[in-house]
Amino acid sequence: MQYLIVVGIIAAFIGLYIGAMYLNEKVAIPESCKEAYLEAQSCETCSTKSGRAACNFKDALEFMKEVKL
């Protein structure tokens, strides 16, 4: 009986995760973020074999923090 409860809890977490992913796909990207989103989708520097990202991801995050809506 204990195993059934554990399996049920794990299945519930998996179901919540899948549900959240499904609902997240339906949300439209805000107009103010579309350019950054499209740029991030085409970024290929993180797949470099050096093991570290060669892009300016930290700089982009700092810029986004400065530009508040």
Side-chain angles (χ1 to χ4, degrees):
M1 185 67 177
Q2 293 175 350
Y3 295 116
L4 187 60
I5 293 172
V6 171
V7 169
I9 291 172
I10 292 172
F13 278 123
I14 292 172
L16 285 172
Y17 178 77
I18 291 171
M21 294 297 291
Y22 174 74
L23 291 175
N24 193 29
E25 288 178 4
K26 289 187 164 192
V27 176
I29 300 167
E31 289 295 324
S32 61
C33 299
K34 272 193 177 180
E35 185 177 333
Y37 174 78
L38 293 173
E39 184 179 332
Q41 295 302 314
S42 63
C43 179
E44 296 177 357
T45 57
C46 295
S47 63
T48 59
K49 295 186 184 218
S50 66
R52 294 186 183 190
C55 64
N56 294 328
F57 188 70
K58 288 183 182 181
D59 294 338
L61 286 177
E62 289 300 320
F63 177 74
M64 287 181 199
K65 286 179 185 176
E66 291 175 8
V67 179
K68 294 183 180 179
L69 300 176

